[in-house]
Amino acid sequence: MIKQLFKEIKKNVVSIWITVISLLVLFSLYLYLPKYEKNIQNVIIEKDLGKEVDVAENVIRKIKEKSQNSLISKIHDSDFVKNSNELLEVLNTPNTEYLYIIFKSGEQFFIALDVSKKDRMEPFEYIQLLPSELPIVNQAIKDMEYKYLIHTNTPTLGLTLYIPFKDKNNINYILIKDYTIKEVQEIKSLVDSIRKAILIVIVFIVLLANVAIVGVIKTLYYKKRSLIDSLTGLYNRNYLEEIENKNLKDFVVIVADVDFFKKINDTYGHLVGDNVLKTVAETIKKNVRENNIVIRYGGEEFLIILNKERSVDNLNYINVAERIRKAVENLKIKINENDYLKTTLSVGIFLDTDKIKTLQEAIKKADVALYKAKTKGRNRIEIYDEENQSSEKALKVSQIKEAIEDKRLFCLYQPIVSLKDGTVSHYEALVRIKDKEGNTIPPYQFLNVIENTFLYTKLTKEVIEYNLKILKDYPDIKVSINLKPSDILNRSTIDILLDIAKDKDVVKRLMLEIVETEDALAYEEIVKIISSLKKAGYIICLDDFGSGYSNFVYLLRLNIDYLKIDANLIKNITTDQVSFEVVKMITGFCKKMKIKTIAEYVENEDILNIIKQIGIDYGQGYYFSKPKQIEELIKSSK
């Protein structure tokens, strides 16, 4: 690789030398300009000072003539002050800010005359000179020669002129003029602009050189790397570099993801997981043509690029995706000699590749469709639709904030039904937002956007307040609300809940559903807080058990009343033996611990029959009811 790099350098040696020489010239010019600017400044300042001093000394001479013996003794004379100020005004140019005469008494200085444009002081008023001015003023008095001070720490280049003189009583005076020299400022601005331009050019050349060098190294690096995934035999993600410049309108982009692959790995180990990936890869490859491209895009994610044919409509490519999905669904992948497992694919398709510019953009759109397939239950195909997608995009933080402030937050409710007698135990509150047109925004479009922000805490408090009103309006129902670990760890949220708990009628009808946490540092604190909520009278339910941490010790320490089994386990319970056994084990454990169990995602009678057989206490899902307004649910239950 190093030899190849030197070859590339030799090929471009002329361009490299031109670049290096250009940089050296520009850098030298950049360093020299401040010296050049300083020299010009000095010339202009000396020239300007000569004029200023001549005029100022002439003014001083006239003031001394009018004061006769002592300037101080004449300051009480208003006519003298008026005439002297008129003389001083000759020095008050448009660029002058401060112009005054001071006199020295002991080691202190006082105002004699002041015609400054702002902050004028009265005669005999004490003036505090700046530390940087004192040495210059004292030196000017000692030498009886004018001095000046250049101010470089101000937005504009300023200059203060100090001209000493004495009256007949040998009292020391200093005429002080604080002003800017327009020409110097113009030169400074011009030099600064030139230096900035040179710096931009230098940075631009360096960046271009870096981009060129990185580009060469990157190209050589990827040429050396293998483009084949060692596990599946498919192309790996690096192969995208080889095809990124292809004409996208000639292709259809499909992204497929193995459902619940993490659970397969965690349950059976990585060897079985690797076997699943190899088998799925072989199945995909068998169900596409040889000239189509299949890439292992991520851990369990596959990218399929189908060639478009002129005489074939889009339905053909959808059929290819469906053929792949069905073939994977029908697989029986051996775990050992006696057992096998089944798996499924979620698939996202992007058909309109002629409307976008890059392959990455096409993949992103297919990935959006894949995400939609997963949120709708997995083992299905979704096609990216630009028009429908625009309505499903996540809200902006500002839109969510506005909706909360405008009280456009509300809850729908889904009943939790006793599997023993079919009665409604309680209702789960599911938060929604209405947009300004009155359309309902589902939670996946706003909850993730504000996660771990102050707005999420505010939303939680609004949900609590909303359901508190519901409980007061409907005294015969119980309601559960969802809390994340971040809500439990928020002191103000807990204070609100503990304050509500003072109403014993309300607290016994408000259940708190808490999502389990993997944060070991937060775990101990959460256990303490939940214990305090239990003492206050709240019913505690652990939500989505089986989706994450799923530690049975966690259950024992939390001392919960209800446990809700994760939907992903319940919806596969009719087809997946692993899901069945896990649910059965959780249920058995909860019965021993006297914890009531709830199965969410009860979508059909087959699932209902199995969870009844296992012994789960309560069910929740579309089989019983979709989320509705509480009024509608109560009315239908009567």
Side-chain angles (χ1 to χ4, degrees), residues 153-183:
N153 59 342
T154 56
T156 59
L157 191 138
L159 186 140
T160 304
L161 177 62
Y162 307 91
I163 303 176
F165 65 94
K166 295 186 179 201
D167 63 12
K168 290 182 179 180
N169 290 336
N170 210 33
I171 296 174
N172 290 310
Y173 299 87
I174 295 280
L175 185 149
I176 299 177
K177 180 176 179 179
D178 197 346
Y179 68 109
T180 58
I181 302 175
K182 186 179 178 183
E183 291 83 357

PDB file of all heavy atoms in Angstrom, residues 153-183:
ATOM      1  N   ASN A 153      -6.488  47.610  21.680  1.00  0.00           N
ATOM      2  CA  ASN A 153      -7.452  46.636  22.239  1.00  0.00           C
ATOM      3  C   ASN A 153      -8.891  47.103  22.093  1.00  0.00           C
ATOM      4  O   ASN A 153      -9.783  46.650  22.783  1.00  0.00           O
ATOM      5  CB  ASN A 153      -7.144  46.376  23.717  1.00  0.00           C
ATOM      6  CG  ASN A 153      -7.205  47.645  24.547  1.00  0.00           C
ATOM      7  OD1 ASN A 153      -7.153  48.739  23.999  1.00  0.00           O
ATOM      8  ND2 ASN A 153      -7.307  47.483  25.863  1.00  0.00           N
ATOM      9  N   THR A 154      -9.121  48.059  21.206  1.00  0.00           N
ATOM     10  CA  THR A 154     -10.477  48.562  20.960  1.00  0.00           C
ATOM     11  C   THR A 154     -10.912  48.167  19.567  1.00  0.00           C
ATOM     12  O   THR A 154     -10.075  47.847  18.718  1.00  0.00           O
ATOM     13  CB  THR A 154     -10.511  50.096  21.096  1.00  0.00           C
ATOM     14  OG1 THR A 154      -9.544  50.654  20.204  1.00  0.00           O
ATOM     15  CG2 THR A 154     -10.194  50.532  22.512  1.00  0.00           C
ATOM     16  N   PRO A 155     -12.251  48.178  19.286  1.00  0.00           N
ATOM     17  CA  PRO A 155     -12.742  47.796  17.959  1.00  0.00           C
ATOM     18  C   PRO A 155     -12.127  48.638  16.848  1.00  0.00           C
ATOM     19  O   PRO A 155     -11.884  48.155  15.750  1.00  0.00           O
ATOM     20  CB  PRO A 155     -14.260  48.019  18.062  1.00  0.00           C
ATOM     21  CG  PRO A 155     -14.564  47.921  19.514  1.00  0.00           C
ATOM     22  CD  PRO A 155     -13.366  48.462  20.215  1.00  0.00           C
ATOM     23  N   THR A 156     -11.913  49.950  17.124  1.00  0.00           N
ATOM     24  CA  THR A 156     -11.238  50.825  16.153  1.00  0.00           C
ATOM     25  C   THR A 156      -9.911  51.262  16.747  1.00  0.00           C
ATOM     26  O   THR A 156      -9.774  51.393  17.959  1.00  0.00           O
ATOM     27  CB  THR A 156     -12.087  52.074  15.850  1.00  0.00           C
ATOM     28  OG1 THR A 156     -12.310  52.778  17.064  1.00  0.00           O
ATOM     29  CG2 THR A 156     -13.412  51.671  15.225  1.00  0.00           C
ATOM     30  N   LEU A 157      -8.925  51.520  15.881  1.00  0.00           N
ATOM     31  CA  LEU A 157      -7.612  51.894  16.371  1.00  0.00           C
ATOM     32  C   LEU A 157      -7.658  53.320  16.891  1.00  0.00           C
ATOM     33  O   LEU A 157      -7.900  54.256  16.130  1.00  0.00           O
ATOM     34  CB  LEU A 157      -6.572  51.742  15.263  1.00  0.00           C
ATOM     35  CG  LEU A 157      -5.125  51.853  15.754  1.00  0.00           C
ATOM     36  CD1 LEU A 157      -4.277  50.813  15.081  1.00  0.00           C
ATOM     37  CD2 LEU A 157      -4.560  53.235  15.538  1.00  0.00           C
ATOM     38  N   GLY A 158      -7.448  53.512  18.206  1.00  0.00           N
ATOM     39  CA  GLY A 158      -7.541  54.834  18.817  1.00  0.00           C
ATOM     40  C   GLY A 158      -6.188  55.363  19.243  1.00  0.00           C
ATOM     41  O   GLY A 158      -5.217  54.620  19.382  1.00  0.00           O
ATOM     42  N   LEU A 159      -6.150  56.684  19.456  1.00  0.00           N
ATOM     43  CA  LEU A 159      -4.897  57.322  19.840  1.00  0.00           C
ATOM     44  C   LEU A 159      -5.204  58.428  20.840  1.00  0.00           C
ATOM     45  O   LEU A 159      -6.146  59.197  20.656  1.00  0.00           O
ATOM     46  CB  LEU A 159      -4.202  57.881  18.597  1.00  0.00           C
ATOM     47  CG  LEU A 159      -2.797  58.463  18.786  1.00  0.00           C
ATOM     48  CD1 LEU A 159      -1.921  58.070  17.623  1.00  0.00           C
ATOM     49  CD2 LEU A 159      -2.861  59.977  18.906  1.00  0.00           C
ATOM     50  N   THR A 160      -4.424  58.510  21.922  1.00  0.00           N
ATOM     51  CA  THR A 160      -4.566  59.590  22.903  1.00  0.00           C
ATOM     52  C   THR A 160      -3.298  60.434  22.880  1.00  0.00           C
ATOM     53  O   THR A 160      -2.182  59.905  23.018  1.00  0.00           O
ATOM     54  CB  THR A 160      -4.800  59.031  24.308  1.00  0.00           C
ATOM     55  OG1 THR A 160      -5.948  58.174  24.289  1.00  0.00           O
ATOM     56  CG2 THR A 160      -5.066  60.157  25.291  1.00  0.00           C
ATOM     57  N   LEU A 161      -3.484  61.749  22.687  1.00  0.00           N
ATOM     58  CA  LEU A 161      -2.365  62.701  22.600  1.00  0.00           C
ATOM     59  C   LEU A 161      -2.265  63.489  23.921  1.00  0.00           C
ATOM     60  O   LEU A 161      -3.275  63.989  24.432  1.00  0.00           O
ATOM     61  CB  LEU A 161      -2.609  63.661  21.425  1.00  0.00           C
ATOM     62  CG  LEU A 161      -1.585  64.772  21.210  1.00  0.00           C
ATOM     63  CD1 LEU A 161      -0.204  64.191  20.901  1.00  0.00           C
ATOM     64  CD2 LEU A 161      -2.044  65.673  20.064  1.00  0.00           C
ATOM     65  N   TYR A 162      -1.061  63.579  24.483  1.00  0.00           N
ATOM     66  CA  TYR A 162      -0.828  64.289  25.741  1.00  0.00           C
ATOM     67  C   TYR A 162       0.175  65.437  25.467  1.00  0.00           C
ATOM     68  O   TYR A 162       1.327  65.169  25.100  1.00  0.00           O
ATOM     69  CB  TYR A 162      -0.244  63.354  26.803  1.00  0.00           C
ATOM     70  CG  TYR A 162      -1.049  62.101  27.021  1.00  0.00           C
ATOM     71  CD1 TYR A 162      -0.783  60.935  26.300  1.00  0.00           C
ATOM     72  CD2 TYR A 162      -2.085  62.063  27.959  1.00  0.00           C
ATOM     73  CE1 TYR A 162      -1.520  59.787  26.491  1.00  0.00           C
ATOM     74  CE2 TYR A 162      -2.826  60.906  28.164  1.00  0.00           C
ATOM     75  CZ  TYR A 162      -2.542  59.778  27.423  1.00  0.00           C
ATOM     76  OH  TYR A 162      -3.274  58.633  27.625  1.00  0.00           O
ATOM     77  N   ILE A 163      -0.286  66.697  25.632  1.00  0.00           N
ATOM     78  CA  ILE A 163       0.590  67.853  25.383  1.00  0.00           C
ATOM     79  C   ILE A 163       0.738  68.630  26.702  1.00  0.00           C
ATOM     80  O   ILE A 163      -0.232  69.208  27.220  1.00  0.00           O
ATOM     81  CB  ILE A 163       0.018  68.769  24.291  1.00  0.00           C
ATOM     82  CG1 ILE A 163      -0.189  67.963  22.993  1.00  0.00           C
ATOM     83  CG2 ILE A 163       0.945  69.960  24.058  1.00  0.00           C
ATOM     84  CD1 ILE A 163      -0.848  68.755  21.891  1.00  0.00           C
ATOM     85  N   PRO A 164       1.966  68.677  27.272  1.00  0.00           N
ATOM     86  CA  PRO A 164       2.171  69.348  28.572  1.00  0.00           C
ATOM     87  C   PRO A 164       2.459  70.854  28.391  1.00  0.00           C
ATOM     88  O   PRO A 164       2.989  71.287  27.367  1.00  0.00           O
ATOM     89  CB  PRO A 164       3.390  68.624  29.130  1.00  0.00           C
ATOM     90  CG  PRO A 164       4.181  68.246  27.907  1.00  0.00           C
ATOM     91  CD  PRO A 164       3.181  67.980  26.814  1.00  0.00           C
ATOM     92  N   PHE A 165       2.092  71.627  29.388  1.00  0.00           N
ATOM     93  CA  PHE A 165       2.484  73.049  29.405  1.00  0.00           C
ATOM     94  C   PHE A 165       2.369  73.559  30.848  1.00  0.00           C
ATOM     95  O   PHE A 165       1.766  72.913  31.695  1.00  0.00           O
ATOM     96  CB  PHE A 165       1.626  73.875  28.426  1.00  0.00           C
ATOM     97  CG  PHE A 165       0.169  73.948  28.777  1.00  0.00           C
ATOM     98  CD1 PHE A 165      -0.358  75.016  29.534  1.00  0.00           C
ATOM     99  CD2 PHE A 165      -0.714  72.957  28.349  1.00  0.00           C
ATOM    100  CE1 PHE A 165      -1.692  75.084  29.824  1.00  0.00           C
ATOM    101  CE2 PHE A 165      -2.062  73.019  28.642  1.00  0.00           C
ATOM    102  CZ  PHE A 165      -2.559  74.084  29.381  1.00  0.00           C
ATOM    103  N   LYS A 166       2.969  74.768  31.085  1.00  0.00           N
ATOM    104  CA  LYS A 166       2.922  75.371  32.414  1.00  0.00           C
ATOM    105  C   LYS A 166       2.414  76.807  32.295  1.00  0.00           C
ATOM    106  O   LYS A 166       2.556  77.445  31.258  1.00  0.00           O
ATOM    107  CB  LYS A 166       4.309  75.395  33.045  1.00  0.00           C
ATOM    108  CG  LYS A 166       4.893  74.019  33.329  1.00  0.00           C
ATOM    109  CD  LYS A 166       6.198  74.156  34.089  1.00  0.00           C
ATOM    110  CE  LYS A 166       6.753  72.740  34.389  1.00  0.00           C
ATOM    111  NZ  LYS A 166       7.699  72.779  35.503  1.00  0.00           N
ATOM    112  N   ASP A 167       1.786  77.283  33.376  1.00  0.00           N
ATOM    113  CA  ASP A 167       1.436  78.709  33.393  1.00  0.00           C
ATOM    114  C   ASP A 167       2.545  79.480  34.128  1.00  0.00           C
ATOM    115  O   ASP A 167       3.571  78.902  34.515  1.00  0.00           O
ATOM    116  CB  ASP A 167       0.056  78.916  34.030  1.00  0.00           C
ATOM    117  CG  ASP A 167       0.009  78.477  35.489  1.00  0.00           C
ATOM    118  OD1 ASP A 167       1.086  78.230  36.073  1.00  0.00           O
ATOM    119  OD2 ASP A 167      -1.113  78.381  36.038  1.00  0.00           O
ATOM    120  N   LYS A 168       2.335  80.773  34.334  1.00  0.00           N
ATOM    121  CA  LYS A 168       3.393  81.603  34.938  1.00  0.00           C
ATOM    122  C   LYS A 168       3.638  81.251  36.393  1.00  0.00           C
ATOM    123  O   LYS A 168       4.675  81.586  36.964  1.00  0.00           O
ATOM    124  CB  LYS A 168       3.021  83.069  34.796  1.00  0.00           C
ATOM    125  CG  LYS A 168       3.103  83.547  33.343  1.00  0.00           C
ATOM    126  CD  LYS A 168       2.766  85.027  33.234  1.00  0.00           C
ATOM    127  CE  LYS A 168       2.874  85.486  31.779  1.00  0.00           C
ATOM    128  NZ  LYS A 168       2.542  86.922  31.633  1.00  0.00           N
ATOM    129  N   ASN A 169       2.630  80.577  37.014  1.00  0.00           N
ATOM    130  CA  ASN A 169       2.806  80.146  38.403  1.00  0.00           C
ATOM    131  C   ASN A 169       3.447  78.753  38.495  1.00  0.00           C
ATOM    132  O   ASN A 169       3.418  78.106  39.534  1.00  0.00           O
ATOM    133  CB  ASN A 169       1.459  80.131  39.135  1.00  0.00           C
ATOM    134  CG  ASN A 169       0.941  81.543  39.354  1.00  0.00           C
ATOM    135  OD1 ASN A 169       1.714  82.515  39.379  1.00  0.00           O
ATOM    136  ND2 ASN A 169      -0.372  81.674  39.515  1.00  0.00           N
ATOM    137  N   ASN A 170       3.936  78.290  37.327  1.00  0.00           N
ATOM    138  CA  ASN A 170       4.646  77.001  37.253  1.00  0.00           C
ATOM    139  C   ASN A 170       3.755  75.786  37.579  1.00  0.00           C
ATOM    140  O   ASN A 170       4.224  74.776  38.086  1.00  0.00           O
ATOM    141  CB  ASN A 170       5.863  77.005  38.190  1.00  0.00           C
ATOM    142  CG  ASN A 170       6.965  76.116  37.639  1.00  0.00           C
ATOM    143  OD1 ASN A 170       7.120  76.006  36.417  1.00  0.00           O
ATOM    144  ND2 ASN A 170       7.722  75.490  38.516  1.00  0.00           N
ATOM    145  N   ILE A 171       2.460  75.923  37.352  1.00  0.00           N
ATOM    146  CA  ILE A 171       1.531  74.785  37.536  1.00  0.00           C
ATOM    147  C   ILE A 171       1.536  73.953  36.245  1.00  0.00           C
ATOM    148  O   ILE A 171       1.474  74.495  35.142  1.00  0.00           O
ATOM    149  CB  ILE A 171       0.115  75.276  37.865  1.00  0.00           C
ATOM    150  CG1 ILE A 171       0.118  76.006  39.205  1.00  0.00           C
ATOM    151  CG2 ILE A 171      -0.873  74.106  37.888  1.00  0.00           C
ATOM    152  CD1 ILE A 171      -1.188  76.662  39.554  1.00  0.00           C
ATOM    153  N   ASN A 172       1.598  72.616  36.423  1.00  0.00           N
ATOM    154  CA  ASN A 172       1.657  71.709  35.275  1.00  0.00           C
ATOM    155  C   ASN A 172       0.247  71.399  34.751  1.00  0.00           C
ATOM    156  O   ASN A 172      -0.640  71.032  35.522  1.00  0.00           O
ATOM    157  CB  ASN A 172       2.356  70.403  35.662  1.00  0.00           C
ATOM    158  CG  ASN A 172       3.825  70.609  35.904  1.00  0.00           C
ATOM    159  OD1 ASN A 172       4.522  71.202  35.078  1.00  0.00           O
ATOM    160  ND2 ASN A 172       4.318  70.139  37.059  1.00  0.00           N
ATOM    161  N   TYR A 173       0.124  71.487  33.424  1.00  0.00           N
ATOM    162  CA  TYR A 173      -1.131  71.159  32.744  1.00  0.00           C
ATOM    163  C   TYR A 173      -0.857  70.144  31.638  1.00  0.00           C
ATOM    164  O   TYR A 173       0.249  70.065  31.104  1.00  0.00           O
ATOM    165  CB  TYR A 173      -1.768  72.412  32.115  1.00  0.00           C
ATOM    166  CG  TYR A 173      -2.119  73.491  33.105  1.00  0.00           C
ATOM    167  CD1 TYR A 173      -1.176  74.463  33.479  1.00  0.00           C
ATOM    168  CD2 TYR A 173      -3.399  73.551  33.650  1.00  0.00           C
ATOM    169  CE1 TYR A 173      -1.496  75.462  34.383  1.00  0.00           C
ATOM    170  CE2 TYR A 173      -3.724  74.558  34.548  1.00  0.00           C
ATOM    171  CZ  TYR A 173      -2.781  75.498  34.919  1.00  0.00           C
ATOM    172  OH  TYR A 173      -3.109  76.473  35.801  1.00  0.00           O
ATOM    173  N   ILE A 174      -1.905  69.395  31.318  1.00  0.00           N
ATOM    174  CA  ILE A 174      -1.825  68.470  30.177  1.00  0.00           C
ATOM    175  C   ILE A 174      -3.090  68.629  29.341  1.00  0.00           C
ATOM    176  O   ILE A 174      -4.215  68.495  29.860  1.00  0.00           O
ATOM    177  CB  ILE A 174      -1.744  66.990  30.621  1.00  0.00           C
ATOM    178  CG1 ILE A 174      -0.460  66.724  31.382  1.00  0.00           C
ATOM    179  CG2 ILE A 174      -1.843  66.043  29.436  1.00  0.00           C
ATOM    180  CD1 ILE A 174       0.764  66.522  30.537  1.00  0.00           C
ATOM    181  N   LEU A 175      -2.911  68.906  28.058  1.00  0.00           N
ATOM    182  CA  LEU A 175      -4.049  68.860  27.127  1.00  0.00           C
ATOM    183  C   LEU A 175      -4.136  67.420  26.616  1.00  0.00           C
ATOM    184  O   LEU A 175      -3.144  66.884  26.070  1.00  0.00           O
ATOM    185  CB  LEU A 175      -3.842  69.826  25.962  1.00  0.00           C
ATOM    186  CG  LEU A 175      -5.028  69.940  24.985  1.00  0.00           C
ATOM    187  CD1 LEU A 175      -5.107  71.337  24.386  1.00  0.00           C
ATOM    188  CD2 LEU A 175      -4.948  68.909  23.863  1.00  0.00           C
ATOM    189  N   ILE A 176      -5.298  66.822  26.792  1.00  0.00           N
ATOM    190  CA  ILE A 176      -5.489  65.409  26.396  1.00  0.00           C
ATOM    191  C   ILE A 176      -6.560  65.329  25.304  1.00  0.00           C
ATOM    192  O   ILE A 176      -7.675  65.842  25.478  1.00  0.00           O
ATOM    193  CB  ILE A 176      -5.906  64.536  27.596  1.00  0.00           C
ATOM    194  CG1 ILE A 176      -4.801  64.575  28.654  1.00  0.00           C
ATOM    195  CG2 ILE A 176      -6.170  63.101  27.152  1.00  0.00           C
ATOM    196  CD1 ILE A 176      -5.140  63.800  29.922  1.00  0.00           C
ATOM    197  N   LYS A 177      -6.170  64.713  24.216  1.00  0.00           N
ATOM    198  CA  LYS A 177      -7.124  64.528  23.109  1.00  0.00           C
ATOM    199  C   LYS A 177      -7.174  63.037  22.761  1.00  0.00           C
ATOM    200  O   LYS A 177      -6.152  62.422  22.457  1.00  0.00           O
ATOM    201  CB  LYS A 177      -6.693  65.327  21.881  1.00  0.00           C
ATOM    202  CG  LYS A 177      -7.645  65.166  20.693  1.00  0.00           C
ATOM    203  CD  LYS A 177      -7.259  66.052  19.512  1.00  0.00           C
ATOM    204  CE  LYS A 177      -8.218  65.833  18.351  1.00  0.00           C
ATOM    205  NZ  LYS A 177      -7.909  66.692  17.189  1.00  0.00           N
ATOM    206  N   ASP A 178      -8.392  62.481  22.830  1.00  0.00           N
ATOM    207  CA  ASP A 178      -8.616  61.050  22.546  1.00  0.00           C
ATOM    208  C   ASP A 178      -9.391  60.947  21.233  1.00  0.00           C
ATOM    209  O   ASP A 178     -10.539  61.388  21.149  1.00  0.00           O
ATOM    210  CB  ASP A 178      -9.424  60.415  23.698  1.00  0.00           C
ATOM    211  CG  ASP A 178      -9.319  58.903  23.667  1.00  0.00           C
ATOM    212  OD1 ASP A 178      -8.870  58.366  22.667  1.00  0.00           O
ATOM    213  OD2 ASP A 178      -9.719  58.271  24.664  1.00  0.00           O
ATOM    214  N   TYR A 179      -8.755  60.384  20.204  1.00  0.00           N
ATOM    215  CA  TYR A 179      -9.399  60.379  18.885  1.00  0.00           C
ATOM    216  C   TYR A 179      -8.926  59.191  18.047  1.00  0.00           C
ATOM    217  O   TYR A 179      -8.044  58.448  18.461  1.00  0.00           O
ATOM    218  CB  TYR A 179      -9.123  61.700  18.161  1.00  0.00           C
ATOM    219  CG  TYR A 179      -7.670  61.909  17.749  1.00  0.00           C
ATOM    220  CD1 TYR A 179      -7.308  61.844  16.416  1.00  0.00           C
ATOM    221  CD2 TYR A 179      -6.687  62.177  18.703  1.00  0.00           C
ATOM    222  CE1 TYR A 179      -5.983  62.049  16.038  1.00  0.00           C
ATOM    223  CE2 TYR A 179      -5.374  62.388  18.333  1.00  0.00           C
ATOM    224  CZ  TYR A 179      -5.007  62.316  16.993  1.00  0.00           C
ATOM    225  OH  TYR A 179      -3.720  62.510  16.608  1.00  0.00           O
ATOM    226  N   THR A 180      -9.551  59.041  16.896  1.00  0.00           N
ATOM    227  CA  THR A 180      -9.143  57.989  15.961  1.00  0.00           C
ATOM    228  C   THR A 180      -8.674  58.628  14.671  1.00  0.00           C
ATOM    229  O   THR A 180      -9.140  59.701  14.284  1.00  0.00           O
ATOM    230  CB  THR A 180     -10.309  57.031  15.630  1.00  0.00           C
ATOM    231  OG1 THR A 180     -11.386  57.795  15.091  1.00  0.00           O
ATOM    232  CG2 THR A 180     -10.772  56.291  16.863  1.00  0.00           C
ATOM    233  N   ILE A 181      -7.722  57.938  14.023  1.00  0.00           N
ATOM    234  CA  ILE A 181      -7.218  58.413  12.735  1.00  0.00           C
ATOM    235  C   ILE A 181      -7.864  57.576  11.649  1.00  0.00           C
ATOM    236  O   ILE A 181      -7.636  56.354  11.570  1.00  0.00           O
ATOM    237  CB  ILE A 181      -5.687  58.304  12.669  1.00  0.00           C
ATOM    238  CG1 ILE A 181      -5.059  59.112  13.813  1.00  0.00           C
ATOM    239  CG2 ILE A 181      -5.176  58.796  11.320  1.00  0.00           C
ATOM    240  CD1 ILE A 181      -3.557  58.973  13.909  1.00  0.00           C
ATOM    241  N   LYS A 182      -8.703  58.179  10.863  1.00  0.00           N
ATOM    242  CA  LYS A 182      -9.505  57.472   9.869  1.00  0.00           C
ATOM    243  C   LYS A 182      -8.638  56.663   8.909  1.00  0.00           C
ATOM    244  O   LYS A 182      -8.936  55.503   8.591  1.00  0.00           O
ATOM    245  CB  LYS A 182     -10.360  58.477   9.101  1.00  0.00           C
ATOM    246  CG  LYS A 182     -11.343  57.840   8.144  1.00  0.00           C
ATOM    247  CD  LYS A 182     -12.176  58.889   7.442  1.00  0.00           C
ATOM    248  CE  LYS A 182     -13.136  58.246   6.453  1.00  0.00           C
ATOM    249  NZ  LYS A 182     -13.901  59.270   5.710  1.00  0.00           N
ATOM    250  N   GLU A 183      -7.549  57.249   8.438  1.00  0.00           N
ATOM    251  CA  GLU A 183      -6.710  56.572   7.452  1.00  0.00           C
ATOM    252  C   GLU A 183      -6.096  55.287   8.031  1.00  0.00           C
ATOM    253  O   GLU A 183      -5.996  54.264   7.352  1.00  0.00           O
ATOM    254  CB  GLU A 183      -5.583  57.505   6.969  1.00  0.00           C
ATOM    255  CG  GLU A 183      -6.046  58.666   6.122  1.00  0.00           C
ATOM    256  CD  GLU A 183      -6.539  59.838   6.974  1.00  0.00           C
ATOM    257  OE1 GLU A 183      -6.563  59.693   8.222  1.00  0.00           O
ATOM    258  OE2 GLU A 183      -6.906  60.872   6.397  1.00  0.00           O
TER     259      GLU A 183
END
